[in-house]
Amino acid sequence: MKALVPVRYPLTGNSRRTVERALELRNEEEDDVDLVFLHVNLFQNERKATRRGLRREIQDEFDVTDASYAVRKGFLVEEAILEEAANREAEVIVIGRTRSGRLRRALRRLIRNDPDIENFLRDNLDVRIEVAD
């Protein structure tokens, strides 16, 4: 089984919980789970991550040696995740839960800066979605 794990790099607290959930999933499943960690470099942001940096941080912090890593460019995180999931034929996507307050989430959605990625993926993909708490 292939699991796509979108994270932010450098890793945030939420991204760390997402990595931990992906590792738990791999231990829980009877089938082999191939993990693919993904970071999206947004065109509108100046900071650019590299696949090497993403791999190094996850390997160093979580002792993960048997995973794949990808860095994509895009305008919208959810679109990049959708494309990567299709390209990799992912069967599971492990995402982090947004931890901002209700008012802040509503304001972000109004300006389209913080989309509801979980619902977007559920609406557009026929794969299992695991949400890290």
Side-chain angles (χ1 to χ4, degrees):
M1 174 185 344
K2 184 146 314 196
L4 182 64
V5 187
V7 295
R8 290 190 179 169
Y9 173 80
L11 293 177
T12 62
N14 196 26
S15 290
R16 284 181 178 84
R17 285 185 294 277
T18 303
V19 172
E20 289 167 355
R21 178 64 193 122
L23 296 174
E24 289 169 4
L25 174 69
R26 186 169 65 179
N27 291 333
E28 294 168 0
E29 291 294 318
E30 292 179 11
D31 297 330
D32 288 335
V33 177
D34 297 325
L35 298 176
V36 178
F37 293 100
L38 168 69
H39 170 79
V40 179
N41 280 330
L42 295 174
F43 283 121
Q44 58 271 33
N45 291 348
E46 291 182 21
R47 184 164 192 187
K48 304 296 181 217
T50 64
R51 192 172 68 81
R52 175 181 288 160
L54 177 63
R55 184 185 72 235
R56 185 177 304 132
E57 185 165 352
I58 291 174
Q59 284 180 346
D60 289 350
E61 190 163 335
F62 295 96
D63 196 30
V64 176
T65 58
D66 56 345
S68 298
Y69 301 86
V71 174
R72 292 184 58 92
K73 293 179 183 175
F75 283 107
L76 299 172
V77 171
E78 63 270 32
E79 292 284 336
I81 294 170
L82 188 70
E83 285 181 29
E84 192 70 22
N87 290 341
R88 301 270 185 162
E89 299 179 351
E91 297 171 69
V92 178
I93 300 177
V94 181
I95 60 172
R97 183 168 312 279
T98 303
R99 298 205 179 265
S100 56
R102 182 182 294 170
L103 178 59
R104 189 173 185 179
R105 282 194 309 265
L107 290 173
R108 283 184 175 170
R109 276 193 210 111
L110 284 174
I111 60 173
R112 187 75 175 133
N113 192 23
D114 189 22
D116 185 347
I117 293 174
E118 179 183 352
N119 285 328
F120 177 85
L121 294 175
R122 287 188 195 284
D123 291 345
N124 289 284
L125 289 172
D126 188 24
V127 301
R128 187 169 121 203
I129 305 293
E130 290 282 329
V131 180
D133 286 322

